[in-house]
Amino acid sequence: MLQRSLDPLSRPFDDELDALLSRFRRGRALEVDFRELVGNSSATDRFTHRMHPYPAKLLLNIPLFFLNCSQLAKPGAVVYDPFCGSGTVLVEGLVRGAIVQGADSNPLARLVSRAKTTPIPEDVVDAGLEVIWSSLPRRGSKPPSGSIDLEKWFSPKVLSQLSRLRQALESIPEGPAECFFKTCFSAVVSRVGLTDPTVPVPVRIDARRKSLTKNQRKLRKQWLTDRSTADVFGLFELCVEENFERLRLLSEQCSNPKVSVFDDARTAPGDGLVDLVISSPPYGSAQKYIRSSSLSLQWLGMAGSGLRELERQSIGREHFSLSERVEMDAPLLSSKALLNKIGKINPLRRHIAATFLIEMRDALSRTCDRLRPRGQLVLIVGNNTVCGYQFDTQNYLTEICEALGLELQLRLEDHIRSRGLITKRHSTAGLISKETILLFKKIR
Ligand SMILES: C[S@@+](CC[C@H](N)C(=O)[O-])C[C@H]1O[C@@H](n2cnc3c(N)ncnc32)[C@H](O)[C@@H]1O
């Protein structure tokens, strides 16, 4: 354990880890329920975890378990998450007194991760709010342009309020306060769009769908009313208040957080070596991080030269132009037969899967370079199907890690109960039903 803390969920898990290590035999995963193992699984609103929604967030019990094992994390350890998403590992690392580093190719993920790990003083929040309200224009200008027609996704009233608020946010100088307020703004955007909250990518709320029950229709009608008439300014003020309180609790736990967030796992800089890596990599073709974030990215002017360009940096993406679909060899010998079978059914799916493996190899290679000798790496990996075939990402990533000089120490399986954030929007790539947790040690 890194440090004694005020955190009720913080207790050593060394005995539990030792027991698992002694039971583990190569080739057979051990079944584990991290909700039971760590307990108090309802405590998801701890510290800053709920500041902003994000698709396929990691179950916080998993990093919490490993960070509380003294074999893995000593006081002052550097903990790194190369696919940090909304920063679950970074927050739990800070709570345990670690120096934390993350990387994510999605600019919204980087913004949220920074906001969730950077406490700001109350007077800075109060002064920021004053600046925002005093610079609120009387009328909203046109919403930011880009590949999405924002007018389709928000009612006219909400669109106008969001535009005014966004303009006012420009008066906040660059820095932690800007990051905090933009995160709150984006959290409000996710609550007031005419988007179905049960689907992670933007899909219009459809209250008339035939397959819906009477109650489900009623609920959707309510969502449409609530979201069309939402009071954006009131929601923003409330979000600022709640998120500030979350940050305050975090700052009580760690007074001087040391955090760095980089752009891409494959090229992440960072001086010095890291002691422990904990990460849930992107899924091979079942999750669309950029599309899920697209409304916020456009509102915040983060889409740069377009969402497609951002997607291109995202591992596990599904869109490839014809010119990008070049013939490629199977990146791992063990994947050759399966990729050929997939290719016969759907050549694009083969290309997506092969690209995923190549890019994951690059990302893991860079991550392994950054890991100190004897340092450990925990990967939380989802399984999926491609064209009806089981695509065992966990086996391929194990093979890649072993070739990079890491030794497999433990393989656990936890069955996912809530699949709420996973999309199944097409018939050739399927759902994730379990997570495999792999623990490696760097031996050379
Ligand atoms: C399973 S999610 C991580 C979720 C995170 N653990 C959380 O709790 O929020 C995988 C993340 O990998 C990111 N990603 C995809 N390609 C990447 C790349 N090249 N470098 C870094 N991150 C990348 C995605 O944007 C996504 O946020």
Side-chain angles (χ1 to χ4, degrees):
M1 185 168 63
L2 287 165
Q3 69 173 22
R4 284 238 152 266
S5 71
L6 309 165
D7 177 10
L9 288 188
S10 179
R11 67 173 182 87
F13 288 106
D14 298 72
D15 292 346
E16 286 86 345
L17 180 63
D18 283 342
L20 289 167
L21 286 168
S22 65
R23 275 174 54 211
F24 176 65
R25 300 281 169 271
R26 231 200 116 84
R28 248 198 37 226
L30 299 174
E31 289 266 338
V32 176
D33 182 340
F34 273 94
R35 292 158 191 84
E36 257 174 37
L37 192 61
V38 172
N40 214 345
S41 55
S42 57
T44 52
D45 194 6
R46 54 193 244 110
F47 303 107
T48 49
H49 288 299
R50 286 268 186 93
M51 264 178 83
H52 191 286
Y54 198 74
K57 264 190 189 179
L58 179 59
L59 178 73
L60 61 88
N61 301 36
I62 300 177
L64 202 146
F65 174 82
F66 289 105
L67 286 160
N68 277 292
C69 292
S70 57
Q71 301 103 302
L72 305 188
K74 298 271 185 295
V78 180
V79 174
Y80 174 46
D81 181 350
F83 303 102
C84 66
S86 61
T88 309
V89 170
L90 309 189
V91 172
E92 286 302 321
L94 283 185
V95 172
R96 235 54 59 197
I99 295 167
V100 298
Q101 299 183 358
D104 205 288
S105 55
N106 180 350
L108 185 70
R110 296 197 294 274
L111 177 86
V112 173
S113 286
R114 288 188 180 113
K116 281 167 74 171
T117 51
T118 314
I120 43 178
E122 190 167 6
D123 56 342
V124 172
V125 175
D126 290 344
L129 266 184
E130 251 178 57
V131 169
I132 290 170
W133 297 138
S134 63
S135 29
L136 197 68
R138 279 177 168 275
R139 287 178 181 199
S141 56
K142 269 191 93 55
S145 58
S147 44
I148 298 173
D149 180 1
L150 291 174
E151 293 184 16
K152 278 194 185 158
W153 294 97
F154 301 88
S155 73
K157 174 195 167 202
V158 165
L159 196 76
S160 158
Q161 290 193 351
L162 284 174
S163 297
R164 291 167 66 197
L165 189 52
R166 181 191 150 274
Q167 272 175 270
L169 283 180
E170 281 165 17
S171 320
I172 303 288
E174 225 175 87
E178 180 207 24
C179 185
F180 171 76
F181 286 120
K182 282 186 169 173
T183 298
C184 296
F185 175 81
S186 171
V188 172
V189 166
S190 72
R191 278 181 226 164
V192 298
L194 302 173
T195 49
D196 188 331
T198 62
V199 186
V201 293
V203 172
R204 285 276 302 205
I205 297 172
D206 180 0
R208 293 191 195 153
R209 220 175 49 228
K210 288 217 169 71
S211 56
L212 296 175
T213 62
K214 206 171 151 199
N215 278 345
Q216 286 171 329
R217 273 196 206 131
K218 207 169 141 196
L219 186 63
R220 275 152 186 79
K221 278 187 191 148
Q222 193 58 51
W223 287 340
L224 278 171
T225 311
D226 292 349
R227 286 169 172 248
S228 309
T229 56
D231 166 16
V232 169
F233 303 141
L235 283 175
F236 179 71
E237 188 125 21
L238 185 67
C239 186
V240 166
E241 195 184 306
E242 288 175 353
N243 281 346
F244 171 70
E245 179 55 18
R246 293 181 168 117
L247 274 176
R248 198 188 57 72
L249 292 174
L250 182 72
S251 67
E252 271 180 8
Q253 188 68 39
C254 66
S255 51
N256 185 21
K258 293 199 178 68
V259 185
S260 320
V261 183
F262 311 119
D263 287 5
D264 191 312
R266 291 165 291 181
T267 52
D271 336 313
L273 295 174
V274 305
D275 301 291
L276 173 65
V277 174
I278 303 181
S279 199
S280 56
Y283 298 103
S285 82
Q287 192 53 258
K288 303 160 177 81
Y289 302 99
I290 296 300
R291 257 189 72 202
S292 311
S293 312
S294 55
L295 296 178
S296 284
L297 285 168
Q298 190 160 319
W299 271 112
L300 292 169
M302 288 176 155
S305 41
L307 294 172
R308 273 290 153 87
E309 201 40 55
L310 284 182
E311 260 188 16
R312 226 162 257 140
Q313 290 149 32
S314 194
I315 299 178
R317 68 192 169 283
E318 300 194 299
H319 292 123
F320 289 90
S321 61
L322 275 178
S323 63
E324 284 173 311
R325 288 188 218 171
V326 287
E327 273 286 309
M328 54 167 79
D329 289 338
L332 301 169
L333 208 56
S334 61
S335 68
K336 193 172 175 179
L338 179 60
L339 288 178
N340 286 347
K341 283 193 217 168
I342 293 171
K344 281 192 186 132
I345 299 174
N346 185 330
L348 172 61
R349 283 277 151 220
R350 181 194 189 277
H351 187 80
I352 292 170
T355 307
F356 170 76
L357 291 177
I358 291 171
E359 295 186 346
M360 277 307 300
R361 187 171 57 192
D362 291 346
L364 286 171
S365 165
R366 176 68 194 127
T367 302
C368 194
D369 285 347
R370 301 206 56 223
L371 189 62
R372 70 164 167 78
R374 318 294 299 163
Q376 277 161 298
L377 175 136
V378 179
L379 287 182
I380 302 101
V381 187
N383 66 324
N384 59 311
T385 58
V386 182
C387 295
Y389 295 109
Q390 181 75 22
F391 192 80
D392 287 318
T393 312
Q394 62 279 15
N395 293 347
Y396 297 129
L397 298 193
T398 301
E399 199 179 328
I400 291 172
C401 287
E402 288 180 334
L404 291 168
L406 298 167
E407 185 182 78
L408 182 67
Q409 296 207 298
L410 195 56
R411 178 172 161 150
L412 308 171
E413 273 177 14
D414 191 340
H415 289 262
I416 301 175
R417 273 184 222 147
S418 159
R419 299 186 193 180
L421 288 170
I422 310 294
T423 56
K424 181 176 169 47
R425 311 268 308 146
H426 45 69
S427 56
T428 48
L431 286 173
I432 288 138
S433 58
K434 69 173 181 197
E435 279 181 315
T436 302
I437 295 93
L438 303 163
L439 171 67
F440 297 93
K441 184 180 252 178
K442 183 167 175 174
I443 48 168
R444 59 178 154 86

